[in-house]
Amino acid sequence: MISLFISAFGLGFIFNASPGAIFTESLRRGVLGGYQAALSVQFGSLVGDAIWAILGLSGAGILFQIPEIRIPLATAGGLYLAYLGIQSIVTKPPTEQEQSSVTAPKSNNSALMSGVSISLTNPSNIFFWAALGSVLGGFGISNPEFAHYLIFFLGFMASSFIWCFACAGIIHVLHKAMSPTLVIGLNILCGVALLYLAYLICVDTYQVISKA
């Protein structure tokens, strides 16, 4: 069980540290709002991951591989990423006066909900947790029991929780070191990345529709 926890812990770091929509949105929010904004996105993602994990453990995650359910969910995720991408490109960083006039709780709540929304509509999250039995099989557990699922969940979520602070800290350092011009450039780059991820989701959704 200890080896399974360690394996899940390491896999959680790899899964969360991989460049994707959550990291891009954390970076986008973080270069504009700093540590708390990036951390809020990460915490939102953690909520979404936990929900998918529970669905996967209960067996309900397999339902989201059905085209009639998968297509609308993936479409919603793609559209939301596209919206965030366009917003990132056209939005200019706030001035110091504008930043002082915006309440931090409101901004952080928006970042939190953004993380939850992306995580809940991210196809990679859906399929990862829906195929949790196969993942455990890769660790040599051919007939996983509830205890195996629980240990995997705890290990994965423990590393995900730690990563929230590590990721926000890294982005905070970048935020402090960057000039306003660089912030604008990075914001545009994040927008382009989000639009590209939205495009990939659309392509995947189209392939599902064509096969249905």
Side-chain angles (χ1 to χ4, degrees), residues 125-147:
N125 287 4
I126 298 170
F127 303 136
F128 176 83
W129 290 109
L132 184 56
S134 299
V135 174
L136 290 175
F139 292 128
I141 303 173
S142 56
N143 296 307
E145 300 176 354
F146 177 77

Side-chain angles (χ1 to χ4, degrees), residues 4-199:
L4 177 60
F5 181 90
I6 295 174
S7 299
F9 190 90
L11 183 61
F13 266 121
I14 295 172
F15 184 87
N16 288 286
S18 299
I22 290 296
F23 179 79
T24 304
E25 178 64 2
S26 298
L27 183 61
R28 184 181 81 86
R29 296 272 186 169
V31 297
L32 296 176
Y35 179 81
Q36 288 297 331
L39 185 63
S40 294
V41 176
Q42 288 292 314
F43 276 161
S45 170
L46 198 64
V47 172
D49 287 345
I51 292 174
W52 280 121
I54 293 171
L55 289 174
L57 288 171
S58 66
I62 198 68
L63 294 175
F64 293 91
Q65 295 190 21
I66 300 174
E68 288 77 10
I69 299 177
R70 173 181 173 182
I71 292 172
L73 191 61
T75 301
L79 291 175
Y80 185 64
L81 289 182
Y83 163 75
L84 291 176
I86 295 173
Q87 186 183 55
S88 180
I89 292 173
V90 302
T91 301
K92 294 182 180 179
T95 63
E96 291 184 4
Q97 183 178 1
E98 290 173 334
Q99 284 181 334
S100 62
S101 64
V102 177
T103 58
K106 181 178 179 180
S107 177
N108 292 338
N109 286 340
S110 173
L112 180 70
M113 293 310 300
S114 177
V116 173
S117 300
I118 294 175
S119 181
L120 288 178
T121 57
N122 189 342
S124 63
N125 287 4
I126 298 170
F127 303 136
F128 176 83
W129 290 109
L132 184 56
S134 299
V135 174
L136 290 175
F139 292 128
I141 303 173
S142 56
N143 296 307
E145 300 176 354
F146 177 77
H148 295 112
Y149 288 120
L150 181 60
I151 293 298
F152 183 91
F153 172 78
L154 293 175
F156 189 96
M157 296 307 293
S159 64
S160 298
F161 182 74
I162 294 173
W163 171 252
C164 288
F165 295 96
C167 180
I170 293 170
I171 293 173
H172 177 66
V173 172
L174 292 175
H175 169 250
K176 290 295 185 181
M178 289 189 299
S179 65
T181 302
L182 189 56
V183 169
I184 293 174
L186 187 57
N187 210 37
I188 293 175
L189 183 62
C190 287
V192 173
L194 288 169
L195 288 173
Y196 178 67
L197 290 170
Y199 165 75

